[in-house]
Structure formats: structure tokens, C-alpha cells
């Protein structure tokens, strides 16, 4: 199922104070949030997630990772097994296990939008190099550095990768990755947002100058809002966790939200609360407290 319409439900509406409501859904980022720095899920966190599911609270993994990188948490999906990947570009059913993930919803980046964004960013920040993330493929320009633990399917200029007759042209584009070797990461983000405008949603989750470009209006928050609306869950009933700028919209939208102890300053400003760092099981600390308060 492809979908890329404008989403307005990711805007908070007045309602009951979130702290007074029993949470119905926990939305957590992975890297730098749920996962420790060694990419493991601690036994304490595993137990907290299982306890939340046993108490009837859904757990959604909401990440910038592509579906093929979800093996690290596939065994911890418990109930529904759904995850939001690619910063909201896809909703994926993880039940099948490694290599058999099923795309439930896809919110693609139109190829013309992607081409426009590449052109505008090349002009605004010379030296930028690109990679293209699709549902089942990953392609990059020859000069794009080895930032990911995988071998790209194709090495071509971004314009060729995004052409109507380019590689895997039948697959939707989920996001574009843009890397600059010299710019400050936050300065690069600001520059890119000004240059690209409404042709794509621009964010970042890496400590390096690596940007992630999705379809207009596509974010963790807007896709999470869609998933919650399908379940009759209000934003006040959602508890969210994150650490990087690609989490800001989600943390702003959720009724209760927590910045990790290791979070980016923009995340701290957006969240309604703070917890300890990912290496100290900050997500589990909050879940345990919430269960004690509401169950």
C-alpha cells in the first residue's frame, strides 16, 4: 500500500492532560534510545517491553533504519510486530523474521521531488554526495563514503539512480541520504531545509553531516499519527522516546515524551520530560515507572 498524502493529524489538539491518562502506546526510537551503544537490547529493557505488552500497551519501534536493519529487535516485537521505518516512510510487519519483513504501508518520495532536492542541495552545498534508499534496494554515488555496513546494489550518480528508467525503477523511493564531508551537521540541516523547501522533509539522526530526505509531510510523527488513528488512540495516550532531530516532531506530538540523557539539545527542548541515557536503560526506567503508576 502506497500513501503520500498530506497528514494533518500529527498536530496536537487540546484534550485531557496526558499524565492523567493510562498510556495505550509506547513509541520508541532505536539507535541512541532503546539500543545501547553496542546495538544490543539490555535484559532490563527486554523485560520492560514485555511487561508493557502484557499490560495491554502496544509498543512501536519508530526508527530511521530501513526494514532490512530491523533484525536487532525482530525477536522483541511480542504482540502486533509492527515498526515504523525510514523516518515514517514505511510501516513494516516484523513477524516473518529476518529477510521476510512485509511492507504494510509505504509513503514514498516522488522521484521528481527527489531529483529537485538533489539539484537544489548540490547548488547550495557543493561537495554533497547522495545515496538512495528503496523498499528493497540501496544505491549510492561512487563518492558516497562507506557509512553503512552493506554493499550498494548500484554505484551511479543520483540523477541516474532516480531516473524513470533507473535501477529498480519499479520500487518506491523511501528516502535520500545526503552526506557532506566538511559541514557542521546542524548547519547542513538548516541549509538543506532552506534550499529544498517543501519538496521533501529533511532531518538527521547521525552525528556526522548526513541528512535524510523523505516525502513532503512524511515523518515519524505523521506516520505514527496515522497508525494511532487506525487504532483509535489519541496523542495523549502515547508515550514517546528519542534522542536526535528526526525524533523532534514525534516527541512534540506525543502526550508524554522523553529525551534521553544523551539527547541532542533540540530533542531536550521538544520533549516534555527527560530520562537517563540509552546505556543506562532510560526507556526501561520510564516504562517501569509508568506501569507502577497506571497498572
Amino acid at each position: 500500500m502506497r500513501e503520500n498524502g498530506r497528514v494533518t493529524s500529527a498536530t496536537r489538539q487540546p484534550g485531557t492532560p496526558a499524565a492523567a491518562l493510562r498510556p495505550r502506546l509506547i513509541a520508541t526510537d532505536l539507535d541512541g534510545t532503546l539500543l545501547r551503544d553496542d546495538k544490543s537490547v539490555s535484559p532490563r529493557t527486554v523485560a520492560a517491553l514485555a511487561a508493557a505488552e502484557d499490560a495491554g500497551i502496544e509498543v512501536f519501534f519508530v526508527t530511521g533504519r530501513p526494514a532490512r536493519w530491523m533484525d536487532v529487535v525482530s525477536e522483541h516485537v511480542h504482540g502486533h510486530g509492527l515498526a515504523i521505518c525510514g523516518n515514517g516512510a514505511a510501516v513494516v510487519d516484523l513477524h516473518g523474521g529476518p529477510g521476510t519483513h512485509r511492507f504494510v504501508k509505504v509513503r514514498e518520495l516522488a522521484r521528481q521531488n527527489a531529483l529537485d532536492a538533489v539539484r537544489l542541495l548540490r547548488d547550495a552545498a557543493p561537495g554533497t554526495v547522495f545515496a538512495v534508499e528503496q523498499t528493497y534496494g540501496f544505491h549510492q554515488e561512487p563518492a558516497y563514503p562507506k557509512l553503512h555496513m552493506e554493499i550498494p546494489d548500484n554505484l551511479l550518480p543520483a540523477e541516474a539512480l532516480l531516473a524513470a528508467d533507473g535501477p529498480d525503477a519499479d520500487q518506491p523511493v523511501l528516502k535520500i541520504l545526503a552526506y557532506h564531508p566538511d559541514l557542521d551537521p546542524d548547519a547542513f540541516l538548516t541549509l538543506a531545509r532552506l534550499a529544498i523547501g517543501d519538496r521533501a522533509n529533511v532531518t538527521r539522526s547521525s552525528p556526522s553531516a548526513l541528512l535524510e530526505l523523505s516525502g513532503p509531510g512524511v515523518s515519524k510523527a505523521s506516520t505514527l499519527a496515522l497508525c494511532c488513528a487506525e487504532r483509535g488512540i489519541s496523542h495523549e495516550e502515547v508515550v514517546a522516546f528519542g534522542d536526535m532531530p528526526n525524533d523532534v516532531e514525534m516527541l512534540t506530538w506525543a502526550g508524554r515524551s522523553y529525551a534521553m540523557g544523551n539527547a541532542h539539545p533540540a530533542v531536550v527542548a521538544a520533549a516534555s520530560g527527560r530520562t537517563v541515557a540509552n546505556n543506562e536503560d532510560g526507556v526501561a526506567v520510564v516504562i517501569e515507572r509508568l506501569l507502577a503508576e497506571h497498572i
Side-chain angles (χ1 to χ4, degrees):
M1 174 181 175
R2 295 192 188 184
E3 179 177 336
N4 199 24
R6 183 174 296 277
V7 176
T8 58
S9 55
T11 302
R12 280 190 175 188
Q13 303 296 327
T16 305
L21 294 175
R22 180 183 184 275
R24 293 181 59 194
L25 187 143
I26 292 168
T28 178
D29 173 52
L30 294 182
D31 296 282
T33 301
L34 189 79
L35 303 180
R36 291 189 166 188
D37 288 347
D38 64 2
K39 306 306 178 185
S40 68
V41 185
S42 75
R44 181 180 182 181
T45 298
V46 170
L49 296 177
E53 293 268 11
D54 289 344
I57 302 172
E58 290 195 69
V59 176
F60 262 63
F61 300 126
V62 187
T63 178
R65 285 181 174 229
R68 65 184 180 278
W69 288 8
M70 294 300 289
D71 297 351
V72 67
V73 291
S74 290
E75 63 184 279
H76 306 303
V77 295
H78 302 291
H80 58 84
L82 294 180
I84 295 172
C85 297
N87 292 327
V91 180
V92 182
D93 186 342
L94 303 179
H95 274 128
T100 59
H101 302 147
R102 180 175 65 89
F103 286 87
V104 176
K105 187 190 301 288
V106 172
R107 305 180 66 202
E108 66 187 288
L109 172 60
R111 286 175 182 263
Q112 188 57 57
N113 284 55
L115 285 166
D116 289 345
V118 167
R119 172 179 54 81
L120 291 166
L121 196 49
R122 282 201 201 280
D123 290 343
T128 302
V129 289
F130 298 91
V132 178
E133 187 76 63
Q134 295 180 265
T135 43
Y136 295 102
F138 175 76
H139 318 278
Q140 67 179 57
E141 295 190 314
Y144 187 88
K146 188 173 178 56
L147 299 173
H148 316 286
M149 298 302 293
E150 60 187 322
I151 299 173
D153 298 306
N154 288 279
L155 290 172
L156 292 168
E159 292 80 2
L161 294 172
L162 294 166
D165 59 351
D168 295 331
D170 58 325
Q171 289 186 33
V173 175
L174 297 185
K175 66 179 180 179
I176 301 297
L177 299 166
Y179 176 80
H180 199 283
D182 302 316
L183 291 177
D184 170 81
D186 286 328
F188 190 30
L189 177 60
T190 299
L191 182 153
R193 285 175 169 171
L194 290 171
I196 293 170
D198 62 1
R199 292 171 179 81
N201 186 60
V202 185
T203 190
R204 77 176 188 89
S205 60
S206 169
S208 64
L210 177 65
L211 306 183
E212 300 163 67
L213 284 60
S214 304
V218 175
S219 68
K220 290 184 175 186
S222 62
T223 301
L224 179 61
L226 288 172
C227 293
C228 287
E230 292 169 356
R231 290 158 175 76
I233 296 173
S234 69
H235 77 88
E236 294 98 336
E237 297 170 301
V238 177
V239 180
F241 300 87
D243 73 306
M244 286 297 281
N246 63 331
D247 297 312
V248 165
E249 294 96 333
M250 178 175 74
L251 298 181
T252 303
W253 176 80
R256 273 177 285 184
S257 58
Y258 294 87
M260 307 304 293
N262 49 290
H264 186 281
V267 174
V268 175
S272 60
R274 292 198 73 178
T275 184
V276 295
N278 62 318
N279 284 334
E280 301 172 74
D281 301 330
V283 173
V285 168
V286 173
I287 292 176
E288 290 163 359
R289 184 172 72 242
L290 291 174
L291 293 177
E293 292 172 354
H294 291 278
I295 306 303

